[in-house]
Amino acid sequence: EIKFLKQWLEIDDQGPSQRTQLCYLYGITDQYDKAISEGEKGLEILNRWGTKPQWEGIYYSLGYAYHASGRYREEKQLYSKAEKDFPDNREIIYRQAALAFTEGNTVLAEQYIRKYLNLNKNTNNPPSEIQILKNYGNIYTKAGILDKAENYYRKVLSMEPGNVGTMAFFADFLINNDR
């Protein structure tokens, strides 16, 4: 996919959606500098066009790369812009909670979590209780609060004891965090 998208950009280097996808792909392959470069280029193109992204993916892909690189100040600035473009977006609020925990601001993190919960209750397509618990675990994992993350993942596993995907996810968490 990366090779294909880079070829596409050789033909037309003004594609913000291609930059967003590259940002995402570089991020999930732990190539954070490349992810940041592509994400920032995508946002620069949109700024030149005087438009916002069509969807919020650029914000969480770039935010993920900033977070993984320890560039929390840039991540916080990015989410401020994302809030303006996509107010009350659950994914952005979820990531803001993880960032606040990472920075040690538990009061702000809890505010984001309450807002996240309220938005989940007031939607046409609310996530299941299991998905909410997984998301809590993910927030704590991103913030490096692994005991709490593990507790949430264990609750999910107890609710879905025979789910192979849940078992694999939990095993991956345990292995990746030397637990």
Side-chain angles (χ1 to χ4, degrees), residues 13 20 56 58 62 70 79 82 84 86 98 107 112 117 146 149 174:
D13 67 352
T20 299
E56 64 278 358
I58 186 72
L62 183 54
Y79 294 151
K84 292 173 186 155
F86 298 96
V107 172
Y112 282 126
L117 275 176
L146 301 180
L174 295 172

Side-chain angles (χ1 to χ4, degrees), residues 2 22 39 49 80 119 121 123 148 170:
I2 290 171
L22 277 171
W49 291 356
S80 290
L119 288 170
K121 289 177 188 173
T123 183
K148 282 194 174 189
F170 185 54

Side-chain angles (χ1 to χ4, degrees), residues 49-88:
W49 291 356
T51 187
K52 73 174 194 170
Q54 290 181 339
W55 64 290
E56 64 278 358
I58 186 72
Y59 291 120
Y60 24 98
S61 294
L62 183 54
Y64 173 80
Y66 281 147
H67 195 91
S69 300
R71 293 172 63 175
Y72 306 131
R73 184 176 50 78
E74 289 104 325
E75 184 182 8
K76 187 180 287 186
Q77 290 171 344
L78 179 72
Y79 294 151
S80 290
K81 180 169 176 26
E83 273 185 309
K84 292 173 186 155
D85 287 346
F86 298 96
D88 294 334

Side-chain angles (χ1 to χ4, degrees), residues 26-143:
Y26 282 133
I28 64 170
T29 56
D30 300 335
Q31 299 177 69
Y32 304 119
D33 290 339
K34 290 180 179 180
I36 290 168
S37 175
E38 292 299 337
E40 288 176 344
K41 286 176 187 173
L43 285 177
E44 286 171 17
I45 292 167
L46 291 167
N47 286 338
R48 278 198 313 269
W49 291 356
T51 187
K52 73 174 194 170
Q54 290 181 339
W55 64 290
E56 64 278 358
I58 186 72
Y59 291 120
Y60 24 98
S61 294
L62 183 54
Y64 173 80
Y66 281 147
H67 195 91
S69 300
R71 293 172 63 175
Y72 306 131
R73 184 176 50 78
E74 289 104 325
E75 184 182 8
K76 187 180 287 186
Q77 290 171 344
L78 179 72
Y79 294 151
S80 290
K81 180 169 176 26
E83 273 185 309
K84 292 173 186 155
D85 287 346
F86 298 96
D88 294 334
N89 180 277
R90 291 181 292 175
E91 183 71 23
I92 292 166
I93 292 164
Y94 153 87
R95 290 173 184 265
Q96 288 173 307
L99 176 60
F101 274 127
T102 300
E103 293 182 321
N105 191 340
T106 56
V107 172
L108 181 60
E110 294 295 337
Q111 288 173 356
Y112 282 126
I113 286 176
R114 278 193 299 281
K115 186 174 183 180
Y116 175 77
L117 275 176
N118 287 333
L119 288 170
N120 282 326
K121 289 177 188 173
N122 298 320
T123 183
N124 292 335
N125 186 22
S128 67
E129 181 181 357
I130 289 171
Q131 187 58 53
I132 290 171
L133 292 172
K134 281 182 185 177
N135 286 345
Y136 281 155
N138 294 342
I139 288 169
Y140 286 113
T141 298
K142 285 176 179 39

